[in-house]
Amino acid sequence: MKGVLTKAQERFSETAIDDEIVVMNLDTGDFFSLEGTARAAWLLIDGTRDLAAIITALAEQFGAPGDVVAADVELFVGELGRAGLVVSG
Amino acid sequence: MQPKVMTHPAMDLMARETRWQLGCVPHALGGIAVEPGYRIIAEGQFLLRCESGYGYHYVPGIGITVERPAGGDPAEEALWLNGSVYAAVACLNGLYPLHASAVAFQGAVYAFTGPSGAGKSTLVTGLGQRGFPLFCDDTLLLDLSDPTQAIALPGHKRLKLTDHALALTGTSRQEPVGADTGKSYVEPPGGVIGEPLPLACLIFLEERPTPAWEAIAGAERFARLADDHYTQALYGEAQRPDLAGLFRLRARLAQQVAMARLIRPLSPQGFAASLDLAEWQLRSQNKEQVA
């Protein structure tokens, strides 16, 4: 996904429970939980960063190589995009 | 001068709305015919027609009409009235049901949940024998009008046990529950609680060989609240929450109510171990949180 990433707020509900974030797709009723790097990536999708910026921020946050982080984040963001929960522009 | 009796709005509401009288019930609601053996919630009302000929019709502000067939079994009449009808009235008035049996301890409610046959009633009976008063059996109603806490309403003050549970707990049976349930009523050995109390913990009963008590954390607390018990279906039909509303409700409960799983084998030894574990956990709540 290219461009700044933004959450499609009208498509989901979310809540924090302990160290996890639960997100429910309001179109399908499917819900999933985010923890660790997925949770951190979700929080970084705030309408100010593109994918590269999110990868850089996560690599710094977790002290991991950027290429290692990139594969997981691209996969995760791609899934969010296909679910309609995140859009790029 | 007489002291003023403090009551709780939700309890007053249920007392008012569950008043009942004998009469005839309609055979349709909202233009939908209801055959014997079926129920419906429509137009803010509840209609249940039993295959035995019993009928129950609830209208908000008026109460419940009970249609009693010739030769009707009083035990069956009470079973429906205190079960499905009671739950439907609660749901139509915004109370949230959980499929749970519960005890009270030091001003809070500890509710045990699981599918039918999991041993909820048996466990709270055993805890009653250890001094924990019964709060409710089978259905726990929550008043969620206070956004800061979930308040549980005390339920009907009798337990319903199978012959196996009677033997396991060594309790004396009273009259049969009726309607071929295979259960008998039992007086709660630890007494009962008649006032609303905050729900402190929801404990899920599970069967595995080694007894254990495990806190439930994170997203599992949300996931656990999805239940296919008929009371959940009643709530959905009564309140018709959209997905966002249902999410908010479950998210709130997941955040406000501690949860744990009580694991034990379904054996006499497992039952004793589960009582020991549950009693120890409940009595230690003053010192630390369960979850």
Side-chain angles (χ1 to χ4, degrees), chain B residues 133-210:
Chain B
L134 177 72
F135 192 82
C136 73
D137 186 32
D138 198 56
T139 299
L140 175 66
L141 298 179
L142 298 182
D143 174 12
L144 299 178
S145 57
D146 179 352
T148 65
Q149 57 182 348
I151 298 296
L153 302 189
H156 301 299
K157 297 175 174 52
R158 302 180 81 185
L159 290 154
K160 300 187 288 290
L161 297 184
T162 62
D163 289 347
H164 173 72
L166 287 165
L168 198 57
T169 56
T171 46
S172 301
R173 74 177 73 225
Q174 296 182 314
E175 73 273 26
V177 171
D180 300 322
T181 62
K183 294 184 178 181
S184 301
Y185 284 112
V186 171
E187 279 301 309
V192 297
I193 292 293
E195 61 180 302
L197 293 172
L199 176 60
C201 189
L202 187 58
I203 303 114
F204 295 81
L205 299 181
E206 295 182 10
E207 180 187 357
R208 284 211 295 274
T210 305

Side-chain angles (χ1 to χ4, degrees), chain A residues 60-85:
Chain A
E60 183 176 335
Q61 183 177 343
F62 288 90
D67 55 347
V68 172
V69 173
D72 288 341
V73 174
E74 285 168 2
L75 185 64
F76 175 60
V77 171
E79 289 175 353
L80 294 177
R82 283 187 291 277
L85 304 183

Side-chain angles (χ1 to χ4, degrees), chain A residues 13 15-18 20 22 24 26 33, chain B residues 217-219 222 243 247 251 254-255:
Chain A
S13 287
T15 189
I17 303 174
D18 298 327
E20 299 177 43
V22 177
M24 173 181 271
L26 294 178
S33 93
Chain B
F222 178 91
L243 274 179
F247 181 88
Q255 289 164 343

Side-chain angles (χ1 to χ4, degrees), chain B:
Chain B
M1 190 160 75
Q2 294 296 321
K4 186 175 181 181
V5 176
M6 301 300 292
T7 58
H8 188 276
M11 289 188 66
D12 291 343
L13 175 126
M14 285 301 292
R16 208 166 49 240
E17 295 298 308
T18 53
R19 293 166 302 170
W20 65 274
Q21 58 186 2
L22 292 175
C24 294
V25 303
H27 289 193
L29 201 57
I32 300 170
V34 180
E35 298 297 322
Y38 291 89
R39 59 158 181 81
I40 192 173
I41 288 180
E43 298 180 339
Q45 302 175 24
F46 172 75
L47 174 62
L48 165 66
R49 295 189 62 214
C50 305
E51 292 178 339
S52 60
Y54 271 104
Y56 302 83
H57 180 213
Y58 166 68
V59 179
I62 294 177
I64 303 163
T65 300
V66 177
E67 182 169 328
R68 181 184 290 165
D73 178 5
E76 178 187 350
E77 181 175 318
L79 190 61
W80 288 114
L81 203 54
N82 296 328
S84 302
V85 180
Y86 183 80
V89 172
C91 292
L92 280 165
N93 285 281
L95 300 175
Y96 185 76
L98 290 174
H99 185 197
S101 299
V103 297
F105 182 64
Q106 300 207 344
V109 173
Y110 297 83
F112 298 88
T113 184
S116 296
K120 301 181 291 296
S121 301
T122 313
L123 186 67
V124 299
T125 302
L127 287 173
Q129 292 169 326
R130 298 193 179 197
F132 295 91
L134 177 72
F135 192 82
C136 73
D137 186 32
D138 198 56
T139 299
L140 175 66
L141 298 179
L142 298 182
D143 174 12
L144 299 178
S145 57
D146 179 352
T148 65
Q149 57 182 348
I151 298 296
L153 302 189
H156 301 299
K157 297 175 174 52
R158 302 180 81 185
L159 290 154
K160 300 187 288 290
L161 297 184
T162 62
D163 289 347
H164 173 72
L166 287 165
L168 198 57
T169 56
T171 46
S172 301
R173 74 177 73 225
Q174 296 182 314
E175 73 273 26
V177 171
D180 300 322
T181 62
K183 294 184 178 181
S184 301
Y185 284 112
V186 171
E187 279 301 309
V192 297
I193 292 293
E195 61 180 302
L197 293 172
L199 176 60
C201 189
L202 187 58
I203 303 114
F204 295 81
L205 299 181
E206 295 182 10
E207 180 187 357
R208 284 211 295 274
T210 305
W213 179 289
E214 298 173 352
I216 297 174
E220 186 182 355
R221 286 157 63 147
F222 178 91
R224 286 279 188 160
L225 289 168
D227 186 352
D228 60 358
H229 192 243
Y230 81 92
T231 51
Q232 285 287 300
L234 282 175
Y235 183 83
E237 294 162 27
Q239 296 297 320
R240 300 197 173 279
D242 59 12
L243 274 179
L246 202 56
F247 181 88
R248 282 192 300 273
L249 174 60
R250 289 183 181 162
R252 172 191 164 171
L253 290 175
Q255 289 164 343
Q256 290 182 345
V257 180
M259 294 185 196
R261 57 173 66 88
L262 175 56
I263 303 162
R264 74 275 188 262
L266 290 181
S267 66
Q269 297 79 11
F271 178 64
S274 67
L275 284 180
D276 290 341
L277 265 174
E279 179 179 10
W280 187 88
Q281 287 289 345
L282 266 59
R283 293 194 187 284
S284 68
Q285 291 316 294
N286 278 341
K287 304 183 184 72
E288 61 185 309
Q289 285 183 337
V290 173

